[in-house]
């Protein structure tokens, strides 16, 4: 399997799209202002090529591309694309999704599911895994920047589009990178009251969530909303950690988050680790696992991206990841990895 990347704008979009018309799958990433215009041309120019799109910005090799349109063509693979047309009621699309999973005839070592959703991520992830788990197919996905995704040239709102990608000549592996670690001095807190619909943690150990967070870190109340860059909340699932980012402190003392917590979840407050070393370890692990690596498609949380920009590290990050060959990806507003919706994380799939 291989991938080809085209960086373009609306003026040369059609020519760029025609140049990858032999691909087995095309992925579109475009800013909100031009997304519908670009997506609308996909089915006109490449009517026989499966394609999905997401409203957002990407990066490729040594540069990020906040204002550009990006096209990624995947080759030497079998693909099925489809849409969950209502993220609030994904159960209505389960039968079609299950049929697609059966049709692709994929396995855990050669197939991945790439999805782009506009919201209700936790339920979407659960829905996918109800259909993917039997075949051992991993899910990698992201939340769109705006309420726009596309499938075969049709733009959808309040929806989720996906591509099942089967490598015909090699393997596909998925990875999750967490640059935060446990703080041995930090206790575990129980989410004693939450508002699932609003994605709010109301209380931890029966105390105001905001006050628990503030006191644990000895910070000012006004610092809570930006402290998530250094100290996000960690949800403990077995021996693994899944990140919950804080969006805002609410007037009632609750914490509005970018990911839903569950009643009685075991939560802790994480600390930023040696991110440069962690990222180098990720690259080394992928290269060791896949000595014939052809490419990587990654998703970086927007909060990671903003922190890297603030630390003047984004260029070095892309340089490090570029050791993996053809590296391209999306800055997402939330990440999907296997069975979990996560924040402040990098997820990716690599292929040979």
């Amino acid at each position: 399997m291989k991938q080809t990347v085209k960086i373009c704008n609306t003026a040369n979009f059609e020519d760029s799209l025609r140049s990858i018309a032999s691909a087995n799958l095309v992925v579109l990433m475009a800013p909100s202002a031009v997304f519908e215009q670009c997506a609308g041309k996909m089915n006109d120019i490449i009517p026989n090529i499966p394609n999905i799109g997401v409203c957002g910005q990407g990066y490729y090799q040594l540069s990020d591309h906040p204002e550009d349109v990006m096209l990624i063509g995947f080759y030497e693979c079998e693909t099925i694309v489809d849409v969950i047309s209502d993220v609030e009621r994904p159960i209505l699309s389960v039968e079609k999704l299950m049929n697609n999973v059966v049709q692709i005839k994929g396995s855990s070592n050669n197939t991945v599911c790439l999805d782009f959703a506009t919201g209700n991520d936790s339920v979407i992830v659960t829905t996918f895994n109800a259909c993917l788990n039997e075949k051992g197919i991993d899910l990698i996905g992201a939340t769109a920047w705006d309420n726009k995704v596309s499938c075969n040239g049709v733009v959808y709102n309040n929806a989720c589009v996906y591509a099942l990608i089967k490598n015909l000549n090699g393997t596909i592996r998925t990875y999750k990178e967490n640059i935060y670690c446990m703080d041995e001095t930090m206790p575990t807190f129980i989410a004693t009251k939450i508002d699932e619909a609003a994605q709010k943690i109301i209380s931890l150990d029966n105390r105001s969530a905001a006050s628990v967070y503030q006191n644990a870190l000895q910070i000012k109340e006004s610092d809570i909303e930006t402290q998530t860059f250094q100290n996000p909340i960690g949800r403990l699932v077995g021996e693994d950690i899944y990140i919950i980012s804080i969006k805002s402190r609410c007037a009632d003392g609750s914490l509005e988050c970018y990911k839903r917590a569950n009643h009685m979840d075991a939560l802790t407050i994480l600390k930023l680790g040696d991110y440069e070393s962690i990222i180098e370890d990720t690259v080394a692990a992928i290269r060791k696992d896949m000595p014939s690596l052809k490419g990587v498609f990654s998703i970086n949380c927007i909060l990671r991206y903003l922190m890297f920009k603030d630390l003047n590290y984004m260029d070095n990050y892309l340089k490090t990841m570029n050791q993996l060959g053809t590296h391209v990806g999306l800055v997402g507003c939330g990440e999907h990895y296997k069975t979990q919706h996560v924040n402040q994380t990098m997820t990716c799939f690599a292929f040979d």
Side-chain angles (χ1 to χ4, degrees):
M1 197 164 112
K2 63 180 182 178
Q3 61 187 4
T4 299
V5 181
K6 300 295 178 180
I7 311 297
C8 54
N9 53 40
T10 53
N12 62 359
F13 177 76
E14 293 186 23
D15 289 340
S16 297
L17 189 54
R18 288 189 180 94
S19 72
I20 56 173
S22 62
N24 301 113
L25 169 70
V26 174
V27 174
L28 165 71
M29 296 186 291
S32 183
V34 300
F35 181 78
E36 293 176 67
Q37 176 185 349
C38 292
K41 294 180 179 179
M42 301 286 279
N43 210 36
D44 294 335
I45 298 172
I46 53 168
N48 299 316
I49 308 299
N51 59 86
I52 59 173
V54 60
C55 176
Q57 81 170 60
Y59 45 83
Y60 174 52
Q61 291 185 331
L62 302 180
S63 301
D64 57 342
H65 294 272
E67 305 297 330
D68 295 320
V69 177
M70 296 182 61
L71 293 164
I72 303 100
F74 291 93
Y75 301 78
E76 301 170 9
C77 57
E78 180 183 345
T79 62
I80 297 175
V81 301
D82 216 327
V83 58
I84 296 173
S85 56
D86 185 351
V87 292
E88 297 303 322
R89 295 187 296 171
I91 189 68
L92 299 178
S93 300
V94 164
E95 183 177 359
K96 185 166 58 170
L97 173 56
M98 292 187 73
N99 288 339
N100 289 336
V101 171
V102 171
Q103 184 181 337
I104 198 79
K105 296 180 180 178
S107 67
S108 59
N109 68 348
N110 68 3
T111 305
V112 71
C113 182
L114 173 65
D115 85 285
F116 302 130
T118 63
N120 202 24
D121 297 81
S122 295
V123 176
I124 287 293
V125 170
T126 300
T127 302
F128 271 113
N129 280 283
C131 302
L132 297 173
N133 278 349
E134 183 177 344
K135 301 296 183 181
I137 297 172
D138 286 348
L139 177 72
I140 294 286
T143 312
W145 284 38
D146 204 349
N147 188 18
K148 301 172 188 177
V149 291
S150 67
C151 181
N152 288 336
V154 179
V155 176
Y156 295 89
N157 309 116
N158 305 314
C160 174
V161 298
Y162 63 91
L164 289 161
I165 308 170
K166 180 181 178 181
N167 189 348
L168 296 177
N169 298 314
T171 61
I172 295 179
R173 288 176 179 257
T174 61
Y175 298 86
K176 174 175 71 76
E177 180 182 81
N178 175 10
I179 57 174
Y180 298 88
C181 56
M182 296 282 287
D183 183 342
E184 295 180 358
T185 67
M186 192 65 63
T188 298
F189 307 100
I190 301 300
T192 44
K193 188 174 183 181
I194 64 166
D195 182 338
E196 289 190 3
Q199 297 189 166
K200 290 182 179 180
I201 303 173
I202 297 174
S203 64
L204 295 168
D205 294 342
N206 295 310
R207 295 178 291 153
S208 157
S211 64
V212 170
Y213 183 82
Q214 179 185 348
N215 293 335
L217 294 172
Q218 293 295 295
I219 58 174
K220 296 183 294 185
E221 183 180 294
S222 58
D223 291 335
I224 290 177
E225 293 176 15
T226 56
Q227 195 67 32
T228 196
F229 288 101
Q230 299 289 323
N231 300 103
I233 293 172
R235 177 174 176 243
L236 308 179
V237 181
E239 295 185 357
D240 212 342
I241 302 170
Y242 294 92
I243 298 172
I244 300 174
S245 301
I246 297 170
K247 184 176 183 179
S248 64
R249 182 199 183 281
C250 301
D252 62 358
S254 61
L255 295 174
E256 183 183 7
C257 300
Y258 286 102
K259 167 183 162 49
R260 187 180 73 188
N262 303 306
H263 180 61
M264 301 306 289
D265 269 351
L267 305 176
T268 190
I269 300 172
L270 305 174
K271 63 179 181 179
L272 181 63
D274 182 352
Y275 55 90
E276 294 188 55
S277 177
I278 293 169
I279 291 165
E280 288 170 357
D281 287 346
T282 298
V283 169
I286 295 174
R287 294 176 73 177
K288 181 180 178 181
D289 290 345
M290 308 187 76
S292 301
L293 183 71
K294 293 291 181 59
V296 175
F297 182 94
S298 69
I299 296 166
N300 267 280
C301 176
I302 189 171
L303 294 181
R304 266 177 58 119
Y305 171 78
L306 291 174
M307 185 180 73
F308 287 168
K309 295 289 272 188
D310 188 56
L311 294 171
N312 295 314
Y313 176 68
M314 191 63 193
D315 289 348
N316 285 336
Y317 170 73
L318 293 175
K319 183 178 179 180
T320 301
M321 291 296 289
N322 202 50
Q323 298 175 45
L324 296 172
T326 305
H327 172 238
V328 61
L330 171 73
V331 179
C333 293
E335 303 76 58
H336 305 162
Y337 179 73
K338 294 186 178 180
T339 62
Q340 297 291 325
H341 170 218
V342 294
N343 299 145
Q344 279 175 256
T345 301
M346 187 279 286
T347 63
C348 71
F349 64 87
F351 50 88
D352 57 16

